[in-house]
mmCIF file of all heavy atoms in Angstrom:
data_model
loop_
_atom_site.group_PDB
_atom_site.id
_atom_site.type_symbol
_atom_site.label_atom_id
_atom_site.label_comp_id
_atom_site.label_asym_id
_atom_site.label_seq_id
_atom_site.Cartn_x
_atom_site.Cartn_y
_atom_site.Cartn_z
ATOM 1 N N LYS A 452 -51.039 -44.579 -45.858
ATOM 2 C CA LYS A 452 -52.431 -45.129 -45.871
ATOM 3 C C LYS A 452 -52.482 -46.564 -45.444
ATOM 4 O O LYS A 452 -53.355 -46.933 -44.649
ATOM 5 C CB LYS A 452 -53.093 -44.969 -47.294
ATOM 6 C CG LYS A 452 -53.369 -43.489 -47.710
ATOM 7 C CD LYS A 452 -53.732 -43.342 -49.145
ATOM 8 C CE LYS A 452 -53.505 -41.821 -49.586
ATOM 9 N NZ LYS A 452 -53.475 -41.748 -51.019
ATOM 10 N N TYR A 478 -35.962 -56.983 -30.711
ATOM 11 C CA TYR A 478 -36.290 -55.641 -31.096
ATOM 12 C C TYR A 478 -35.237 -54.628 -30.570
ATOM 13 O O TYR A 478 -35.575 -53.768 -29.829
ATOM 14 C CB TYR A 478 -37.719 -55.304 -30.661
ATOM 15 C CG TYR A 478 -38.786 -55.911 -31.652
ATOM 16 C CD1 TYR A 478 -40.116 -55.805 -31.419
ATOM 17 C CD2 TYR A 478 -38.400 -56.663 -32.733
ATOM 18 C CE1 TYR A 478 -41.053 -56.247 -32.270
ATOM 19 C CE2 TYR A 478 -39.236 -57.154 -33.670
ATOM 20 C CZ TYR A 478 -40.691 -57.021 -33.430
ATOM 21 O OH TYR A 478 -41.660 -57.491 -34.259
ATOM 22 N N ASP A 508 -39.203 -45.983 -47.400
ATOM 23 C CA ASP A 508 -38.679 -45.949 -48.792
ATOM 24 C C ASP A 508 -39.392 -44.995 -49.799
ATOM 25 O O ASP A 508 -38.746 -44.225 -50.420
ATOM 26 C CB ASP A 508 -38.945 -47.419 -49.326
ATOM 27 C CG ASP A 508 -37.920 -48.521 -48.629
ATOM 28 O OD1 ASP A 508 -36.945 -47.998 -48.110
ATOM 29 O OD2 ASP A 508 -38.324 -49.795 -48.736
ATOM 30 N N MET A 532 -28.164 -24.256 -47.168
ATOM 31 C CA MET A 532 -27.760 -25.632 -46.884
ATOM 32 C C MET A 532 -27.871 -25.899 -45.395
ATOM 33 O O MET A 532 -27.911 -25.028 -44.451
ATOM 34 C CB MET A 532 -26.266 -25.869 -47.437
ATOM 35 C CG MET A 532 -26.130 -25.536 -48.955
ATOM 36 S SD MET A 532 -24.377 -25.948 -49.466
ATOM 37 C CE MET A 532 -23.590 -24.687 -48.725
ATOM 38 N N ILE A 644 -13.066 -16.160 -18.103
ATOM 39 C CA ILE A 644 -13.059 -15.779 -19.478
ATOM 40 C C ILE A 644 -14.540 -16.014 -19.918
ATOM 41 O O ILE A 644 -15.164 -17.049 -19.749
ATOM 42 C CB ILE A 644 -11.993 -16.725 -20.286
ATOM 43 C CG1 ILE A 644 -11.833 -16.155 -21.711
ATOM 44 C CG2 ILE A 644 -12.336 -18.258 -20.276
ATOM 45 C CD1 ILE A 644 -10.408 -16.618 -22.228
ATOM 46 N N ASP A 693 -12.069 -5.370 -31.895
ATOM 47 C CA ASP A 693 -10.913 -5.520 -30.934
ATOM 48 C C ASP A 693 -11.443 -5.849 -29.615
ATOM 49 O O ASP A 693 -10.660 -5.931 -28.526
ATOM 50 C CB ASP A 693 -10.210 -4.046 -30.927
ATOM 51 C CG ASP A 693 -9.418 -3.902 -32.079
ATOM 52 O OD1 ASP A 693 -9.080 -4.978 -32.871
ATOM 53 O OD2 ASP A 693 -9.161 -2.792 -32.554
ATOM 54 N N ALA A 736 -20.369 -38.697 -32.323
ATOM 55 C CA ALA A 736 -21.482 -38.102 -33.187
ATOM 56 C C ALA A 736 -21.281 -38.629 -34.628
ATOM 57 O O ALA A 736 -22.312 -39.013 -35.268
ATOM 58 C CB ALA A 736 -21.635 -36.667 -33.231
ATOM 59 N N ASP A 792 -36.324 -30.651 -30.953
ATOM 60 C CA ASP A 792 -37.494 -31.168 -31.614
ATOM 61 C C ASP A 792 -38.657 -30.197 -31.855
ATOM 62 O O ASP A 792 -39.062 -30.165 -32.936
ATOM 63 C CB ASP A 792 -38.166 -32.490 -30.638
ATOM 64 C CG ASP A 792 -38.815 -33.435 -31.344
ATOM 65 O OD1 ASP A 792 -39.656 -33.129 -32.227
ATOM 66 O OD2 ASP A 792 -38.669 -34.657 -30.984
ATOM 67 N N CYS A 799 -46.844 -25.945 -38.962
ATOM 68 C CA CYS A 799 -48.126 -26.338 -39.598
ATOM 69 C C CYS A 799 -48.210 -26.056 -41.149
ATOM 70 O O CYS A 799 -49.238 -26.373 -41.646
ATOM 71 C CB CYS A 799 -49.349 -25.692 -38.929
ATOM 72 S SG CYS A 799 -49.280 -23.739 -38.925
ATOM 73 N N PHE A 845 -27.721 -46.196 -18.361
ATOM 74 C CA PHE A 845 -26.365 -46.708 -18.461
ATOM 75 C C PHE A 845 -26.061 -47.753 -17.431
ATOM 76 O O PHE A 845 -26.541 -47.540 -16.280
ATOM 77 C CB PHE A 845 -25.302 -45.494 -18.419
ATOM 78 C CG PHE A 845 -25.502 -44.619 -19.501
ATOM 79 C CD1 PHE A 845 -26.256 -43.357 -19.275
ATOM 80 C CD2 PHE A 845 -24.975 -44.598 -20.711
ATOM 81 C CE1 PHE A 845 -26.597 -42.518 -20.206
ATOM 82 C CE2 PHE A 845 -25.227 -43.778 -21.729
ATOM 83 C CZ PHE A 845 -25.875 -42.592 -21.523
#
Side-chain angles (χ1 to χ4, degrees):
Chain A
K452 292 174 195 163
Y478 282 177
D508 295 341
M532 301 184 288
I644 192 161
D693 289 338
D792 203 318
C799 62
F845 299 95

